[in-house]
Amino acid sequence: MTVQEIVSQLNLTVCSGQEGLQREVKGGYTSDLLSDVMGHAQEGDIWVTLQTHKNVMAIASLKEIAAIILVKGHLPEEDTLEESNNENIPILSSPLQTFEITGQLYKLLHP
């Protein structure tokens, strides 16, 4: 499943990184602790978090994350948007709580 397909099915807002919407999503990881994501997320995961600062892009790039979903309507900071566009890693936003969007994502990836 591609990032674009997830955007469409979960009604997500694309904040940045539009060039990466055709990335393949292989799994998901939910955490707000950067060291946890760095240690356990896998290449191709879609990362669910409420963190909006630039450091999320460093971790996403290092771990080759397919995309980031920000929860509760959070939007990325300006320098985070820039990095997302430079790395072609989409940042998406959802008005849902972490629990809800993670459950919906799980159902999509594990039908």
Side-chain angles (χ1 to χ4, degrees):
M1 177 170 282
T2 67
V3 174
Q4 181 61 62
E5 291 170 323
I6 290 172
V7 166
S8 297
Q9 293 192 38
L10 296 182
N11 198 27
L12 302 172
T13 300
V14 179
C15 301
S16 58
Q18 288 84 351
E19 297 292 320
L21 291 174
Q22 294 311 311
R23 287 172 172 256
E24 190 69 27
V25 176
K26 300 176 185 174
Y29 201 78
T30 300
S31 181
D32 297 321
L33 189 60
L34 299 183
S35 60
D36 179 50
V37 177
M38 192 165 28
H40 301 285
Q42 302 295 313
E43 177 185 340
D45 279 353
I46 194 163
W47 174 16
V48 180
T49 185
L50 56 70
Q51 300 288 348
T52 62
H53 52 79
K54 186 177 176 177
N55 292 341
V56 297
M57 288 311 304
I59 302 301
S61 179
L62 176 71
K63 296 300 290 189
E64 298 184 40
I65 296 290
I68 299 166
I69 299 175
L70 301 179
V71 297
K72 298 193 282 186
H74 284 272
L75 298 173
E77 296 174 11
E78 198 60 40
D79 56 353
T80 310
L81 287 171
E82 273 182 48
E83 285 300 312
S84 168
N85 288 326
N86 290 340
E87 297 281 344
N88 296 325
I89 298 175
I91 297 179
L92 316 168
S93 183
S94 170
L96 300 178
Q97 300 284 334
T98 303
F99 179 78
E100 295 168 306
I101 195 69
T102 298
Q104 289 182 13
L105 182 61
Y106 184 87
K107 283 197 278 188
L108 272 182
L109 295 175
H110 302 278

